[in-house]
Amino acid sequence: MATYASVKAYLVTVRRCLDAGRVELLSRREKNRATLLRLEFTTRSAVAELAHLRPEDYIGGPKASEINPRGVVWEFVRSIKDIPVYIKLTVKEYGPNENVLCISFHEPEREYEKPYARPDAADGGEEE
């Protein structure tokens, strides 16, 4: 499990990529497409939601990535329109730039725990 500080730092990187427009959502994946339809979201709406991720939404990572062999994936679950949405991200390097790739944007398929969702979790999450 990543520390609270490392999740926060990762999300800073994600936001920097979002602000620069360097993001891609795999919207052709059936699960992702179905969730976009259920939420009445466009790809742009889904990408905008990524900017609202917080360390309290974290559920896992960093883990080895099959899509990004040189990188890792981070996992989050965020409630959007009262629907829990599983979000899996990786940051890919392209020369001097980093791009965020949103691999998953769908309802969770397994149980999950949000280790930093408790009010006291940030204090206890600073140490590994």
Side-chain angles (χ1 to χ4, degrees), residues 76-122:
F76 302 87
V77 172
R78 178 168 172 71
S79 182
I80 303 170
K81 295 185 177 183
D82 294 322
I83 298 170
V85 178
Y86 170 76
I87 299 168
K88 182 164 48 173
L89 304 173
T90 188
V91 174
K92 297 180 84 171
E93 293 182 23
Y94 292 103
N97 294 322
E98 296 175 314
N99 295 337
V100 171
L101 176 61
C102 181
I103 300 164
S104 298
F105 192 92
H106 57 78
E107 292 182 59
E109 297 174 328
R110 60 179 167 81
E111 294 292 317
Y112 60 88
E113 181 180 330
K114 290 182 168 184
Y116 302 122
R118 300 180 318 277
D120 63 336

Side-chain angles (χ1 to χ4, degrees), residues 26-67:
L26 297 182
S27 57
R28 293 183 183 175
R29 294 184 73 205
E30 182 57 38
K31 293 184 275 190
N32 294 347
R33 196 168 53 233
T35 300
L36 291 175
L37 287 171
R38 180 166 183 209
L39 292 169
E40 298 178 337
F41 269 20
T42 62
T43 300
R44 184 175 295 194
S45 304
V47 166
E49 279 296 326
L50 301 181
H52 299 290
L53 287 172
R54 303 171 320 171
E56 292 78 8
D57 299 320
Y58 167 84
I59 64 165
K63 299 176 181 177
S65 171
E66 294 177 15
I67 289 182

